[in-house]
Structures are given as C-alpha cells and as structure tokens.
Amino acid sequence: DYTKRRQVVNTQQVGGLQVNGDVFELPAGAIKVALGAEWRKETTEVTPDPRSASGELWRDTDNAVDADFTVKEIFGEILVPIMADQPFAKELSLEGAVRFSDYDTIGTTTTWKLGGQWAPSADIRFRVTRSRSVRAPNLAELFSAGTVSNEFIIDPCNAATVGLMPNRAANCAALGLGAGYTDPEANAFKFVVTGGNPAVREEKSDSWTAGAVMTPSFIPGLSASVDWWKIDLAGAIGTVPVDRIVDNCVDAATIDNPFCSLIERKDNGAIGFINVSPINIGSQQAEGIDFNAIYRRPIGAFDARVNVAGTYLIENRQTVVSGDPTTLDIARAEVDNPKWRVNVTPGLSVGAFSIDWTLRYISSSKVDVQASAEERSDNNVSSRLYNDVYTSFEINDDFQLYAGIN
C-alpha cells in the first residue's frame, strides 16, 4: 500500500490602524466616528506528493502551488443619535459604514451599510438595515493547481438523448454535432480537471433586514425578536457537478454560457476534458423570517426556561445562467431548504443540576420541487420531529459532568 503525502502551508500577514471617538455633541448624545486602514497579504504553498506530481498514481495527478494576494482597505463608520429619552422616542439613531478595498487579483470593491433603530419605549425596539456585501475569491478558488481524474460521462448530444430537452438539438448542432451524432469514444473515460480559476470574479449581495426586539416590562423574564430578511446574490462563486456542466452547456438558451467554455471537444466531436473550476454562477434570491423568544421564571426552587427559535423560508431560488429562465433552480421546500424549521427547548435548573429538552421540527418537503410525478415517484419527504436531551452537573468551578442523547 502507498500513502499519499501532500503538504499545504497557508500564511497571513495583517497590519492596520484605527481611530475612533466622539466628533461633537447633539441633544441626544455624541456623534461617534471610526476611521481606519488595513493591509493584508495571504499566501499558500502546496507541495504535492512526488508520485502524484509525476503522474505515477492511477487517476490522480497533482501539482505544486505558490500563490499569494494582497489587499489594501480603508473604512469608516458613523453613529448618529437623533433623539433620546423623549415621548415615543426612547432612542432614535442612524448608522452607516463604508469600506473600499483594492485587491491585486480582482481590483477594487466597495461595501457599505445603512441602518437605523427606533425604540418608542424600553419595551420594544425596531431596526432596519440595507447593505451591500462582497466576497472576493480565495487563493484556492483562484490558484489551486487541482487534480486530473477520469469519469464516465454520457454525452447529451448522442442521438439517443439529444431530444430530451428543448434546446439541446440546436445547441449540439451549433457545436458542430449534427443529427444522428454518436459519441465515438462512448466507452472511454473523460478527463476531469479540478483546479482554480484566475478569471473568477467577486460575488456581490444586496440585502435588507427589518425587525423588532421586545422585552415587555409587563411580562418579566420574556424577550423576543422577529426579523425579516431578503438577500439578492449575483455572481456566486461555486462549482457545478461535471454531469451538470455537460448538460447545462447544451440545455441553456444558447451555447454562449459559462458551461460550454469549461468543455473541450476533440476533432472527432468526443469530449476531451471538462474543467470543474469555480465560476461565477448566475444569481440567487433568498428571503425569510427569523424569530426567537426566551422566557425565564422561577418556580419554587427551580429556574424554569423555554426557548423558541425558528425560520420561515419565503423564497430560495437561483438562476444558473443570468437571464436564462431555463436554468432556474427553485430550492424552497426541498429537503435542504424546508419552509419551516422550529426548535423548542424547555429546561430546568436547580442548584448545580440542569436539564434541557430540545424538540426540532422540520416541515414536509420534496426532493425536487420542479420534478413531475412522472419524473420522480418518490419525491415527497414527510415532516420530522427530533428530540434531544442534555443534562449537566457542576461539581465545582473547574469540573462539570454532562450527558446527552440525540
């Protein structure tokens, strides 16, 4: 037996400067400002297994990597109190933040946030935030040397499968594969290259959040919050399974899409290799409501509590190719994105002993909400209720015994 050895060393250097303080006084309090600058350098060094690097291992090829990026940033934040301790305005404030970044890989980016809070009384507080966020590709997504492997793939342009999707025949013809085409290397493995993509760009998201926090004085021990959120993500960085790359290339509206550029065909029309590198994938929209409440009160010698937390998912969908409705993927109410997730945790404590019981509810869902009954007969997944129990005993400040059942 041979044990493959691969060494990866990542380093990060960071330097920064920040100043903050009060600018001047308003009737409701001081305007607070923070300004700063940061510099960061990240490096990665990969030393592959020598046999893998030389191609001696079956279906496993690896290469060395020595890559880095630097980013320079400046930022500012401000908090402005508008009103305080007034009728119907225990607090009213606005806040903002902005950050300018300059990467030597993707260029400049700008992120920002605007928000406000209004507390008509000590019992309730409303909040709202609008923001733009950016995630730059990391070193692995940009420069990973990747590996070469082999997979068996059915060519969607084969005569037997070319008619399964409406755009497939026209797109296969545009690739030079006419009617009656048969993969001349159907029984051969295809090369699959998995590595970084220096051309990948940053992903951007615009988000809204709005909600309220309640601590009613007439119900001691109760605190609750509810927040609505909505996120629009553009150019998400991700990889697509190899079979989806091959199918999406010829199932999109045209062959002018991100997937066809990842496939190289030979002179005889057969697929030569598929590049499974990170790409910027269309757009994604998600929307939901988060809620949380906790109530505590003593009952005799016991400290009783109950916590309720959950999410209601309003929307979760992505378009793999921007502007092409044929690549729409709806995820809401599927097994990974159920409409409802709710946890209820009652608990009791007395002295050094405590016990908590968590009930986790997941609503019914489908494996694929876009699949018809003819396509998938086993599509429905029933709702689930799981029970977890956790108990602990504090022996002293240094020792605790605990046990749990999930």
Side-chain angles (χ1 to χ4, degrees):
D1 292 340
Y2 179 75
T3 301
K4 180 180 173 181
R5 294 172 176 82
R6 186 175 192 260
Q7 184 183 52
V8 180
V9 178
N10 296 318
T11 64
Q12 184 182 75
Q13 303 173 54
V14 181
L17 172 69
Q18 180 174 325
V19 294
N20 56 73
D22 299 344
V23 179
F24 56 84
E25 288 288 330
L26 294 177
I31 295 179
K32 299 181 182 297
V33 171
L35 301 171
E38 291 182 359
W39 173 88
R40 186 172 77 255
K41 181 176 182 178
E42 296 186 14
T43 66
T44 183
E45 296 182 11
V46 178
T47 304
D49 181 273
R51 291 189 175 181
S52 179
S54 63
E56 297 179 41
L57 301 183
W58 170 245
R59 297 176 64 182
D60 189 330
T61 303
D62 199 1
N63 295 290
V65 176
D66 185 1
D68 64 75
F69 76 76
T70 60
V71 55
K72 300 183 288 288
E73 298 179 309
I74 58 173
F75 63 88
E77 302 174 7
I78 187 170
L79 174 64
V80 182
I82 306 299
M83 300 179 69
D85 299 320
Q86 300 295 318
F88 302 104
K90 177 72 174 176
E91 179 188 337
L92 177 62
S93 62
L94 299 175
E95 62 178 332
V98 64
R99 179 179 291 259
F100 301 100
S101 304
D102 184 8
Y103 292 83
D104 64 358
T105 51
I106 60 170
T108 59
T109 66
T110 303
T111 61
W112 51 265
K113 180 183 75 171
L114 294 173
Q117 295 195 55
W118 172 46
S121 70
D123 291 352
I124 187 167
R125 176 185 300 270
F126 299 97
R127 56 194 180 190
V128 63
T129 302
R130 178 80 166 99
S131 64
R132 157 67 64 89
S133 300
V134 169
R135 187 180 80 82
N138 59 40
L139 286 170
E141 293 165 334
L142 288 167
F143 303 117
S144 172
T147 59
V148 178
S149 60
N150 298 280
E151 289 194 31
F152 181 76
I153 299 168
I154 297 176
D155 194 329
C157 289
N158 274 326
T161 56
V162 73
L164 294 179
M165 300 298 290
N167 297 328
R168 189 171 287 184
N171 285 332
C172 289
L175 291 172
L177 309 174
Y181 166 80
T182 300
D183 184 357
E185 301 179 10
N187 295 322
F189 286 106
K190 315 298 183 186
F191 287 110
V192 176
V193 180
T194 304
N197 178 8
V200 74
R201 300 292 300 174
E202 70 274 12
E203 58 183 35
K204 300 177 181 178
S205 67
D206 293 320
S207 63
W208 276 100
T209 61
V213 180
M214 293 149 282
T215 52
S217 56
F218 52 89
I219 308 179
L222 174 65
S223 63
S225 65
V226 58
D227 289 285
W228 164 83
W229 50 267
K230 182 178 176 64
I231 301 172
D232 291 313
L233 179 65
I237 301 171
T239 57
V240 179
V242 62
D243 55 338
R244 290 285 299 275
I245 290 175
V246 175
D247 289 347
N248 287 346
C249 167
V250 292
D251 291 343
T254 71
I255 61 172
D256 183 18
N257 61 68
F259 304 102
C260 287
S261 63
L262 301 176
I263 303 169
E264 182 175 295
R265 289 181 178 268
K266 300 179 180 180
D267 292 340
N268 63 4
I271 295 173
F273 74 84
I274 303 98
N275 187 352
V276 189
S277 296
I279 59 174
N280 294 105
I281 304 173
S283 60
Q284 183 176 6
Q285 296 80 40
E287 182 180 2
I289 297 174
D290 295 337
F291 52 91
N292 183 79
I294 185 167
Y295 179 57
R296 294 177 175 272
R297 66 167 297 171
I299 302 177
F302 294 92
D303 177 20
R305 58 191 175 274
V306 61
N307 178 244
V308 180
T311 297
Y312 174 67
L313 188 62
I314 299 172
E315 181 183 45
N316 191 320
R317 61 172 62 200
Q318 71 172 2
T319 304
V320 180
V321 180
S322 295
D324 185 353
T326 64
T327 64
L328 175 65
D329 181 15
I330 299 174
R332 179 181 184 259
E334 290 188 342
V335 287
D336 292 333
N337 296 280
K339 292 180 182 179
W340 287 96
R341 287 183 183 269
V342 181
N343 292 350
V344 180
T345 305
L348 284 174
S349 297
V350 57
F353 174 80
S354 69
I355 184 169
D356 290 278
W357 171 31
T358 299
L359 298 93
R360 295 183 286 123
Y361 171 76
I362 301 173
S363 63
S364 60
S365 57
K366 293 182 179 295
V367 177
D368 185 350
V369 296
Q370 293 170 279
S372 65
E374 291 77 16
E375 293 176 299
R376 195 174 191 109
S377 59
D378 58 345
N379 201 19
N380 295 320
V381 178
S382 61
S383 61
R384 294 287 190 273
L385 182 64
Y386 299 98
N387 292 270
D388 304 328
V389 177
Y390 177 87
T391 183
S392 65
F393 184 80
E394 295 278 355
I395 298 176
N396 54 41
D397 292 341
D398 298 320
F399 295 97
Q400 180 192 61
L401 298 177
Y402 60 89
I405 301 174
N406 296 327

